[in-house]
Amino acid sequence: MNSPANSGSVEQTPIPFSEGVRVWARVAVLSFGGPAGQIAVMHRILVDEKRWIGENRFLHALNYCMLLPGPEAMQLATYIGWLLHGVRGGLVAGCLFVLPGFLSIMALSVLYASFQEASFVQAIFFGIKAAVLAIVIEALLRIGKRALKTWPMYLIAAAAFVAIFAFDAPFPLIIAAAALVGFLGGHFDPARFLVIRARETTEDGESEPEAVLHTGGMAKAQPTWRGAVRTALIWGSIWAAPIIALILLVGPNHVFTELAVFFSKLAVVTFGGAYAVLAYMAQEAVQTHGWLAPGEMLDGLGMAETTPGPLIQVVQFVGFMGGYREADMLGPVASGIAASVIVTWVTFVPCFLWIFLGAPFIEKLRGVKLLTAALSAVTAAVVGVILNLAIWFALHVAFARLDEVRGYGARLLVPDFATIDVASVVIAAAALIAMLRFKIGMLLVLFVSALIGSLYYLAMMAGT
């Protein structure tokens, strides 16, 4: 057996599957704050704490997941779970990542539909929303520090931010442009564009493990076209079977079928996460189908932002309200729950298809330097996109009213400073200081922020 010095790797005992399940459950419970916060949680636990995967392998997997439609954080968890324990590891990691948010939004949707004006629900959200803003900012700083290591990466991140923030450029176009720049940069100036390297050294001079070193996982999986076709057929069938069954059982015009078909289409074009498709989703759900009343989409987004799991889980709320409002013999609540399950299925099953189909080929291409340079540029661009999301979120948390200013093809959101929510700003700032300066854990920050925010909100309601 080769020694670490000769092989460039470090021998470790295999990771028990049961331990992997426990760690993925922990990641799922802590996955607040949207994709930035969720990716940071995974990095802290899997790379820094457990050392199950190296920095470069983590970023390589992240880059691939950023190129896919759907929630990149959930797909990253599935990818790493697949690396560690094969298909069963990917299934456990992906399902556990979605489960806490699914259960939370299910409960909140029932409460929302039954007690829509309940002040105690709004009070709970008030403090958590401000704390989540701090978590997103902290995560942005963490990821930016690791991804922006050369001046071209800073320029790419800045260009991506301006493109999406000011000009509302499509996310796929930004990613494609960044990949092209990275590909060309890797050819002409590899020293500045090969940010994600095959192997780096740690601060003490020791080589960082290049691969996941677990003999039972998929670190050395060899892709085959026969395996790819088999994977596509299996997961394509799992995705399509409920839709076909609904068409046959209740007809193409039933709300369940309409939800399944609509969100299946959405699962293929959801590049950039929930924010990228929010306007389109709201327009179709409100104006075309009547599943939501005007303004309810933002309430659903608030649920997704303040519960663990991917932000795209907001689709579950849309499905619930659609089933609730167009209930048949099942009754409103039961119909809403059934619709939630259907929408969640057609939204997240495709994620397993993308990962199990593409990951073996992406792993095979890890050593291709030009591809690595292209993916390095994609990571930098994604930092700019996440910055846009952080600012969007900050504006909506801190101000009750935002105005649009347009000119020269650009669009800017300008806050009305008379509508500033001082309490939210103070809670968010205190939460950020607690995490950055005093290194207080995320769960404690969320709990304290929720408590303080709830007390303040209820006091304000009592005084009006």
Side-chain angles (χ1 to χ4, degrees):
M1 181 178 294
N2 293 331
S3 67
N6 295 329
S7 66
S9 63
V10 179
E11 295 297 330
Q12 298 178 351
T13 56
I15 301 164
F17 181 70
S18 59
E19 184 179 355
V21 173
R22 288 193 296 270
V23 169
W24 287 118
R26 178 184 169 201
V27 168
V29 172
L30 294 175
S31 291
F32 289 87
Q38 293 155 1
I39 292 167
V41 166
M42 277 187 279
H43 187 280
R44 182 166 63 247
I45 294 176
L46 301 174
V47 179
D48 296 335
E49 179 184 325
K50 295 293 184 180
R51 300 184 67 82
W52 285 354
I53 182 171
E55 173 80 11
N56 300 308
R57 199 63 166 275
F58 183 90
L59 289 177
H60 183 84
L62 174 60
N63 282 327
Y64 173 59
C65 296
M66 289 294 185
L67 296 174
L68 299 173
E72 59 268 27
M74 177 266 187
Q75 290 165 336
L76 178 61
T78 304
Y79 192 121
I80 298 175
W82 171 83
L83 278 175
L84 293 171
H85 296 105
V87 172
R88 64 171 183 164
L91 284 172
V92 166
C95 291
L96 284 178
F97 194 87
V98 173
L99 184 60
F102 173 80
L103 295 176
S104 300
I105 292 181
M106 182 71 78
L108 291 172
S109 297
V110 173
L111 288 174
Y112 183 90
S114 304
F115 310 99
Q116 192 163 345
E117 302 300 326
S119 58
F120 75 91
V121 175
Q122 299 177 17
I124 293 172
F125 284 166
F126 182 82
I128 291 180
K129 191 177 296 186
V132 167
L133 170 59
I135 292 171
V136 170
I137 295 173
E138 187 268 346
L140 176 67
L141 295 175
R142 181 194 297 269
I143 296 172
K145 181 180 179 180
R146 297 181 182 278
L148 307 181
K149 298 179 180 179
T150 62
W151 65 262
M153 298 297 109
Y154 279 97
L155 289 180
I156 292 170
F161 169 73
V162 172
I164 196 168
F165 181 79
F167 296 97
D168 201 22
F171 180 78
L173 178 62
I174 293 174
I175 294 301
L180 178 60
V181 170
F183 184 86
L184 296 175
H187 178 74
F188 293 105
D189 192 0
R192 290 189 173 91
F193 281 84
L194 284 172
V195 173
I196 306 172
R197 302 187 183 274
R199 198 174 66 221
E200 293 180 348
T201 56
T202 57
E203 294 180 358
D204 57 7
E206 295 182 357
S207 293
E208 180 189 58
E210 177 187 357
V212 174
L213 302 173
H214 174 55
T215 55
M218 304 298 292
K220 298 181 180 179
Q222 296 298 318
T224 64
W225 290 110
R226 179 178 296 179
V229 171
R230 183 172 62 251
T231 299
L233 289 175
I234 291 173
W235 284 96
S237 299
I238 294 173
W239 181 7
I243 304 174
I244 296 173
L246 286 172
I247 293 174
L248 295 176
L249 291 174
V250 297
N253 297 321
H254 193 278
V255 63
F256 290 168
T257 308
E258 291 179 343
L259 286 166
V261 171
F262 174 75
F263 284 103
S264 289
K265 295 177 181 177
L266 204 68
V268 181
V269 299
T270 312
F271 295 93
Y275 292 114
V277 295
L278 181 61
Y280 170 69
M281 191 193 311
Q283 180 180 4
E284 291 295 308
V286 175
Q287 298 179 9
T288 304
H289 297 285
W291 297 328
L292 297 179
E296 287 183 343
M297 176 61 78
L298 289 179
D299 294 333
L301 186 61
M303 292 183 191
E305 287 169 340
T306 52
T307 52
L311 290 180
I312 198 63
Q313 195 72 44
V314 67
V315 300
Q316 179 188 347
F317 171 76
V318 178
F320 181 92
M321 296 305 295
Y324 184 91
R325 287 204 166 99
E326 299 186 28
D328 50 18
M329 66 184 67
L330 292 177
V333 174
S335 182
I337 292 173
S340 288
V341 173
I342 292 169
V343 168
T344 301
W345 182 274
V346 299
T347 297
F348 290 103
V349 165
C351 298
F352 293 109
L353 170 60
W354 313 142
I355 296 301
F356 295 149
L357 179 62
F361 293 94
I362 294 299
E363 283 296 301
K364 187 70 174 178
L365 296 174
R366 271 192 320 118
V368 180
K369 290 187 176 181
L370 291 181
L371 177 63
T372 300
L375 293 179
S376 296
V378 168
T379 300
V382 166
V383 172
V385 173
I386 294 176
L387 175 61
N388 167 69
L389 298 184
I391 292 176
W392 189 95
F393 191 30
L395 291 173
H396 284 80
V397 168
F399 300 95
R401 178 182 172 185
L402 300 172
D403 297 318
E404 278 194 4
V405 176
R406 294 182 178 270
Y408 303 101
R411 173 192 62 86
L412 296 177
L413 292 176
V414 179
D416 181 352
F417 286 93
T419 66
I420 188 171
D421 190 333
V422 177
S424 292
V425 173
V426 170
I427 293 174
L432 188 61
I433 293 171
M435 287 186 292
L436 293 181
R437 176 67 179 85
F438 299 102
K439 310 298 182 184
I440 296 176
M442 184 189 306
L443 282 182
L444 181 58
V445 169
L446 282 168
F447 176 77
V448 174
S449 299
L451 179 61
I452 294 174
S454 298
L455 293 175
Y456 172 82
Y457 186 88
L458 293 174
M460 290 289 294
M461 294 292 295
T464 58

